[in-house]
Amino acid sequence: MNKHRESHGSHGLPDDDPQLTLRNPAELADALPYLMGFHPTDSIVMVALHGRRGRFGGRLRLGIPRAPGEWPHVAEQLAECLVTGSERRGPRPDGIIVFLCKDPGPIGEVTAGQVMEGLRPLAQLLRTACGALDVPVLEALCISDGRYWSYCCPDARCCPPEGNVLALPGTSVLAAAATFAGLQVRGSLREMEARLAPWRRPAAADQERVLAATEEVLVPRILDEEERLRVGRETLDLADRLMRRLCGAPPATGRTDGDALDDGLITHEEAAALLLGLQDRTTRDIAAEWMEGPDAAPALRLWRALARRCVGRYGEHAAVPLTLAGWVAWSTGDEPAARVALGLALRADPDYQFAQLLHQACNQGLDPEALRRCLREERREREQGGGGGAAPGSAADVTEPLAAAGPGLSGGDGVTGHRASGAAGPEKVVEAQPSAVLVPARRQGTRRRPPGRFTRNRQDRTAASAPANRRDEVPAAVVPEAVPEAVEAFEGDSSTAAPARRGARRAGRAGQRDGTGR
């Protein structure tokens, strides 16, 4: 019988709480949602272990690449990313735990057992890649359709071929400890992303037509400097009215019902005017001030609802409401939700600098208070000056505290900032703090100018109705679409993103050769 190593950690609980000991694969599988804050669907998760008793350290998540031809390169770079990042923060890992999470698809993969067998080569590649770095994989688990399998244990008495059933949610010791500490699992990653996804209903066509009509009216106004300020004030006034309308709505019974209720409270015309008006960077920065206190909850509901309205050819406009939703979530302490929203913002527009900086700051465990202070001061100065609308010249201020708070935050490589040599980040052994992001880029030569982008020259580019705050002076990320998700390297140093990017590029070229790259 294979001896399953015990692992220790507080799993996101306060540091002064008693540590819990995980003694077998069942408890490891049960702990995964609490380590991440959600159920990671279609994901590779790697967790570093330290010391004789296997204390949890850094952790990393990546969406499972669709093409098996990409797996060898991805496995090598993920292993290097986790090990190197752990060494930059502290000791080298003494072991690694691997989770492969995927549910059966509607076509081809009929059972969870077939999913497990299909992922076995990926598990072996990850074990080999970690072993090549002299860090053994102590356990590799597949979690699929409510069951788990161990790729490391050959004993059918504890790890039968049909797998073991996962414990019912909320019935384990870990679940009880997490509940006592006030922690929650926010559902699956797929469910969290679905709340922010564009409409796929008949009303989406009507919304797209209204967006096009509103664009024809607003763009000429925003091209005029004086009219641009009026549009900014109108946009902020409309947002304020909608937030008050959402606050006055009767409470819904669940998240899905709540989202549907919010959608019904906002007309197509209101959504279009807000989406296009918020593409102006100054207006967006003022809207970001609704980040705390009684403003935070309705603002978050509004930004989520607007993200769902970015339908059809206006999908790239979602970068703004998604970034605002991520900012409010991060400001109010919901880091898992913030990472999901910011990751989707970068998926919609990989060049969006505000999303890049916020994602990197959240990933590196920085305190959002620095940005909150800046926004509070901007509001005070604007109110003391008697101006309630968008003021010229303040557009770039919102990113300055992010760069000042973390020397590693930079848009220089278009993917992630690099922490200065020798600089140490916060040591939070059990909290998920991603620090490297790989953003899927579009295929070269196929990028179309999004609707509403009107440019007179590089310096006079308007943020009228196109995604705002584009970084023309900084090269965009060159990361292939073959990597389906963003890498989240928890507690690792941000400079570990570089080797992962190199592997992703190689994987993308391989995917393009065999026609599987996205």
Side-chain angles (χ1 to χ4, degrees):
M1 181 179 294
N2 184 51
K3 288 187 176 180
H4 297 290
R5 177 142 174 186
E6 294 184 358
S7 298
H8 298 256
S10 53
H11 313 295
L13 304 181
D15 292 339
D16 55 355
D17 280 7
Q19 291 188 340
L20 299 177
T21 300
L22 307 180
R23 296 181 173 83
N24 53 56
E27 294 180 352
L28 286 173
D30 185 58
L32 182 59
Y34 299 99
L35 290 171
M36 308 294 291
F38 52 84
H39 294 274
T41 50
D42 298 324
S43 297
I44 303 168
V45 179
M46 301 172 67
V47 181
L49 300 178
H50 296 277
R52 182 180 61 85
R53 305 188 70 186
R55 176 177 54 86
F56 283 128
R59 62 215 73 162
L60 175 151
R61 187 194 68 83
L62 173 69
I64 298 175
R66 294 184 179 181
E70 303 165 11
W71 292 355
H73 299 301
V74 169
E76 292 173 5
Q77 299 308 320
L78 291 183
E80 183 178 352
C81 180
L82 183 57
V83 173
T84 304
S86 298
E87 288 179 322
R88 289 181 179 273
R89 289 295 183 92
R92 183 181 181 86
D94 296 296
I96 290 174
I97 297 176
V98 172
F99 300 88
L100 300 180
C101 307
K102 185 179 181 181
D103 288 330
I107 300 175
E109 295 169 345
V110 179
T111 66
Q114 291 175 319
V115 171
M116 181 273 294
E117 289 296 339
L119 295 177
R120 187 181 292 276
L122 176 58
Q124 184 58 38
L125 288 168
L126 290 166
R127 295 175 67 185
T128 302
C130 294
L133 299 176
D134 295 326
V135 181
V137 172
L138 302 178
E139 185 60 270
L141 298 178
C142 176
I143 300 176
S144 179
D145 198 23
R147 290 180 173 269
Y148 69 89
W149 289 260
S150 172
Y151 289 116
C152 297
C153 179
D155 195 324
R157 291 174 293 177
C158 62
C159 300
E162 66 275 14
N164 289 295
V165 178
L166 287 170
L168 293 176
T171 60
S172 66
V173 174
L174 177 61
T179 302
F180 179 77
L183 300 180
Q184 60 174 329
V185 176
R186 296 158 183 81
S188 70
L189 177 61
R190 187 182 296 111
E191 292 169 346
M192 296 175 71
E193 291 180 342
R195 298 189 68 191
L196 302 169
W199 279 355
R200 298 187 182 277
R201 62 179 76 168
D206 295 333
Q207 179 66 76
E208 187 173 5
R209 282 193 292 270
V210 173
L211 279 166
T214 306
E215 181 179 71
E216 292 181 1
V217 175
L218 280 186
V219 168
R221 295 184 61 194
I222 297 178
L223 289 173
D224 179 85
E225 183 62 26
E226 184 176 347
E227 282 295 304
R228 183 182 71 86
L229 298 180
R230 292 195 182 96
V231 171
R233 287 191 288 269
E234 293 169 4
T235 300
L236 295 168
D237 289 343
L238 175 59
D240 183 67
R241 291 198 304 273
L242 290 180
M243 287 169 55
R244 285 188 272 111
R245 185 185 303 171
L246 294 175
C247 282
T253 56
R255 293 177 180 174
T256 303
D257 293 340
D259 292 342
L261 176 63
D262 292 346
D263 291 340
L265 293 173
I266 302 173
T267 67
H268 294 329
E269 290 76 15
E270 290 169 335
L274 265 183
L275 277 172
L276 297 172
L278 286 170
Q279 302 301 320
D280 178 76
R281 190 170 61 180
T282 304
T283 306
R284 176 210 68 191
D285 289 354
I286 297 175
E289 295 172 1
W290 292 314
M291 60 190 171
E292 57 188 347
D295 294 333
L300 183 58
R301 291 168 61 186
L302 178 59
W303 307 145
R304 285 173 173 165
L306 289 181
R308 295 191 290 270
R309 300 295 186 100
C310 295
V311 296
R313 59 196 179 102
Y314 291 88
E316 195 167 335
H317 289 63
V320 174
L322 286 170
T323 301
L324 289 172
W327 159 236
V328 175
W330 183 37
S331 176
T332 54
D334 192 350
E335 292 185 3
R339 293 190 192 99
V340 171
L342 294 170
L344 290 176
L346 291 172
R347 191 183 300 175
D349 184 358
D351 301 333
Y352 193 35
Q353 188 180 28
F354 189 32
Q356 289 176 339
L357 293 176
L358 284 175
H359 202 190
Q360 293 162 24
C362 180
N363 291 347
Q364 292 184 10
L366 300 183
D367 189 344
E369 180 59 24
L371 181 54
R372 284 196 295 258
R373 283 198 302 268
C374 173
L375 292 172
R376 293 189 199 107
E377 183 62 27
E378 288 291 328
R379 176 184 287 180
R380 279 195 296 269
E381 291 180 359
R382 193 171 61 254
E383 291 174 349
Q384 291 172 0
S394 65
D397 293 343
V398 73
T399 61
E400 292 176 1
L402 294 173
L409 295 182
S410 168
D413 61 4
V415 180
T416 184
H418 290 262
R419 189 180 296 278
S421 177
E427 275 298 329
K428 296 183 178 180
V429 174
V430 295
E431 290 189 9
Q433 303 289 350
S435 65
V437 179
L438 297 182
V439 182
R442 301 170 181 83
R443 292 188 186 280
Q444 294 183 357
T446 62
R447 180 170 182 170
R448 297 183 300 172
R449 184 177 299 277
R453 175 166 299 163
F454 294 85
T455 59
R456 288 175 288 198
N457 54 52
R458 181 177 296 272
Q459 286 74 32
D460 192 29
R461 173 172 293 181
T462 180
S465 64
N469 200 13
R470 308 279 309 190
R471 289 181 309 134
D472 297 320
E473 74 283 1
V474 179
V478 185
V479 182
E481 294 109 354
V483 180
E485 298 279 350
V487 168
E488 297 174 358
F490 298 80
E491 295 182 19
D493 190 272
S494 60
S495 61
T496 60
R501 290 198 304 274
R502 292 194 295 270
R505 292 191 187 103
R506 291 199 298 269
R509 289 195 291 270
Q512 291 168 3
R513 285 195 298 270
D514 64 14
T516 59
R518 291 197 296 161

